[in-house]
């Protein structure tokens, strides 16, 4: 079986894309973003599946089950990125290689957005590139899975 399954996980408030500050998040909805990511993945020979939750426990439990369904993950945990050590622990537990993505440029916003609980755990971090950031993340994953094979 080829190692090409990528779980794309969006956390808290990302279901509200399309209505959030366009200066940071553009105008696309989560469904539109997921369609775009699905196309990027197909171009790269990857298979994307999607998950979003506003409930931290649900997000954690999805991470627990990740090894059964994915070879790699893209995680945009929204604000949880900046303080949820529970989500970091769950990703570490999963052992699934992950790239952290942010739509906005978290390095140029409030100080608290510069902190990431995923530091040192993820194989890559992409931010401030809107939809294109997900393509970059998928390219990193394709390279990583290719190296592992
Ligand atoms: C975000 C950045 C976070 O700081 C913020 O809380 C979000 C979205 C992004 O994609 O830019 O909800 O993860």
């Amino acid at each position: 079986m080829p190692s090409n399954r990528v779980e794309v996980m969006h956390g808290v408030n990302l279901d509200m894309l399309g209505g959030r500050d366009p200066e940071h998040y553009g105008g696309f909805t989560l469904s539109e973003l997921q369609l775009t990511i699905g196309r990027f993945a197909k171009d790269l020979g990857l298979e994307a599946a999607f998950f979003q939750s506003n409930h931290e426990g649900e997000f954690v439990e999805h991470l627990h089950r990740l090894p059964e369904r994915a070879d790699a993950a893209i995680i945009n945990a929204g604000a949880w990125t900046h303080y949820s050590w529970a989500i970091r622990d769950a990703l570490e537990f999963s052992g699934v290689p992950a790239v952290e993505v942010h739509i906005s440029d978290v390095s140029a916003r409030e100080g608290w957005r510069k902190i990431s609980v995923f530091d040192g755990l993820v194989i890559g971090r992409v931010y401030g590139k809107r939809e294109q950031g997900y393509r970059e993340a998928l390219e990193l994953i394709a390279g990583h899975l290719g190296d592992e094979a």
Side-chain angles (χ1 to χ4, degrees), residues 12-147:
V12 63
N13 294 319
L14 286 155
D15 55 332
M16 292 293 113
L17 285 174
R20 295 184 72 179
D21 184 348
E23 191 197 320
H24 293 300
Y25 302 110
F28 50 84
T29 64
L30 181 60
S31 313
E32 288 163 350
L33 176 62
Q34 291 182 159
L35 279 174
T36 306
I37 297 170
R39 279 196 297 270
F40 289 159
K42 215 169 161 214
D43 288 350
L44 293 163
L46 298 169
E47 209 178 281
F50 300 96
F51 176 80
Q52 190 277 332
S53 181
N54 290 321
H55 302 277
E56 189 179 5
E58 234 173 62
F59 201 84
V60 162
E61 286 174 359
H62 199 78
L63 286 167
H64 292 169
R65 295 190 298 268
L66 210 52
E68 298 157 25
R69 46 185 300 134
D71 303 300
I74 290 178
I75 312 268
N76 182 348
W80 287 330
T81 305
H82 314 302
Y83 66 88
S84 177
W85 300 105
I87 288 176
R88 181 203 162 94
D89 278 351
L91 178 61
E92 188 170 24
F93 166 82
S94 79
V96 172
V99 176
E100 173 187 346
V101 173
H102 300 284
I103 296 163
S104 66
D105 183 358
V106 286
S107 72
R109 299 180 65 190
E110 300 93 326
W112 57 269
R113 292 188 205 268
K114 297 186 176 70
I115 297 160
S116 171
V117 297
F118 303 115
D119 254 9
L121 181 60
V122 287
I123 60 167
R125 190 159 188 254
V126 186
Y127 50 85
K129 299 189 175 165
R130 306 267 172 103
E131 303 102 309
Q132 287 304 318
Y134 291 84
R135 178 183 270 282
E136 208 171 291
L138 288 164
E139 285 167 0
L140 288 171
I141 286 170
H144 182 84
L145 294 175
D147 287 348

